Amino acid sequence: AQSVAQPEDQVNVAEGNPLTVKCTYSVSGNPYLFWYVQYPNRGLQFLLKYITGDNLVKGSYGFEAEFNKSQTSFHLKKPSALVSDSALYFCAVRLIKAAGNKLTFGGGTRVLVKP
Amino acid sequence: KAGVTQTPRYLIKTRGQQVTLSCSPISGHRSVSWYQQTPGQGLQFLFEYFSETQRNKGNFPGRFSGRQFSNSRSEMNVSTLELGDSALYLCASSLGSGTNNYGYTFGSGTRLTVV
């Protein structure tokens, strides 16, 4: 079985400050890892993914994430947060060798960026 | 190219009724996965269809079913609706399925309210 934990329900940060959203995962094998963002009454928008190679992944809107295999973590970071980054963020995992496309999501972290 | 289209965007149904939701994937994509999003349970995988065949199924009762047509459009059906079925239903479109697929595009979802 695979699982994803996002330990913080909400993260508050002042505009211009660094933003970190934490994610740890548990899988029996090598994972694909993803970050998605959701705005109210919308679907999930893709931010970035880790497939293989460089552990530091750069994505959309200035976000990046670092894959840490030993700590089974994939934290999302942004050096300088914007008010428009306020949204719900989801981390997801899938086994590379899975027979199918099932994603397992974390519970989500609400980010509130204050002006 | 057009994105993932889910219809309708909003639905209100009465307990005991049934409902059918539709998802049209990106042109050329052959996999459609469905997810249920609720405040309490988060994002949960319902099922995946690939080339008209159900490839994976999540842990949902038999009242939840789906199918995929030859043009890759997918429908999901929920029979005998319960209040707890109120949720945002999201579909994800992918080109392929399994090991070599790691691209997912989500639709905006169908918001189902059961009264």
Side-chain angles (χ1 to χ4, degrees):
Chain A
Q2 53 200 43
S3 64
V4 179
Q6 294 181 239
E8 299 157 317
D9 289 337
Q10 181 158 324
V11 169
N12 297 318
V13 63
E15 187 174 33
N17 281 3
L19 170 63
T20 298
V21 185
K22 296 179 180 177
C23 170
T24 59
Y25 65 90
S26 174
V27 294
S28 301
N30 293 318
Y32 290 142
L33 292 157
F34 305 83
W35 276 103
Y36 289 90
V37 61
Q38 186 178 40
Y39 295 96
N41 294 317
R42 303 295 297 176
L44 302 179
Q45 293 182 26
F46 171 77
L47 282 178
L48 50 81
K49 63 178 179 279
Y50 173 79
I51 304 302
T52 187
D54 194 349
N55 289 342
L56 182 63
V57 179
K58 294 188 182 296
S60 306
Y61 312 118
F63 284 95
E64 60 185 32
E66 185 163 10
F67 171 60
N68 188 318
K69 189 170 184 177
S70 63
Q71 296 186 3
T72 62
S73 67
F74 190 56
H75 302 328
L76 181 70
K77 298 182 180 184
K78 185 171 184 178
S80 178
L82 300 172
V83 172
S84 57
D85 293 328
S86 299
L88 188 56
Y89 290 78
F90 290 96
C91 180
V93 68
R94 206 207 86 187
L95 273 174
I96 292 176
K97 292 188 176 181
N101 285 344
K102 175 186 174 181
L103 289 173
T104 299
F105 286 89
T109 298
R110 188 165 302 279
V111 170
L112 180 60
V113 182
K114 298 181 179 178
Chain B
K1 53 184 176 183
V4 181
T5 303
Q6 289 191 246
T7 56
R9 285 298 311 277
Y10 300 94
L11 265 179
I12 299 176
K13 290 287 189 178
T14 304
R15 271 181 302 175
Q17 287 186 313
Q18 75 165 17
V19 67
T20 299
L21 312 181
S22 178
C23 174
S24 292
I26 291 171
S27 178
H29 284 197
R30 295 192 296 158
S31 168
V32 174
S33 302
W34 289 89
Y35 293 84
Q36 182 196 64
Q37 184 179 13
T38 59
Q41 299 297 318
L43 277 156
Q44 293 189 292
F45 174 79
L46 281 155
F47 28 66
E48 177 200 356
Y49 286 87
F50 177 71
S51 293
E52 301 181 63
T53 301
Q54 187 180 85
R55 189 136 201 217
N56 275 316
K57 190 177 191 306
N59 189 26
F60 278 82
R63 300 185 296 108
F64 292 81
S65 62
R67 59 178 174 170
Q68 187 178 35
F69 302 94
S70 59
N71 63 356
S72 294
R73 188 178 71 86
S74 177
E75 290 181 345
M76 67 163 282
N77 184 77
V78 188
S79 62
T80 320
L81 283 166
E82 301 177 359
L83 294 179
D85 297 332
S86 295
L88 180 67
Y89 290 87
L90 295 167
C91 76
S93 167
S94 297
L95 185 62
S97 180
T99 300
N100 294 322
N101 180 75
Y102 38 80
Y104 302 80
T105 305
F106 283 83
S108 295
T110 293
R111 170 77 62 186
L112 172 65
T113 302
V114 182
V115 297

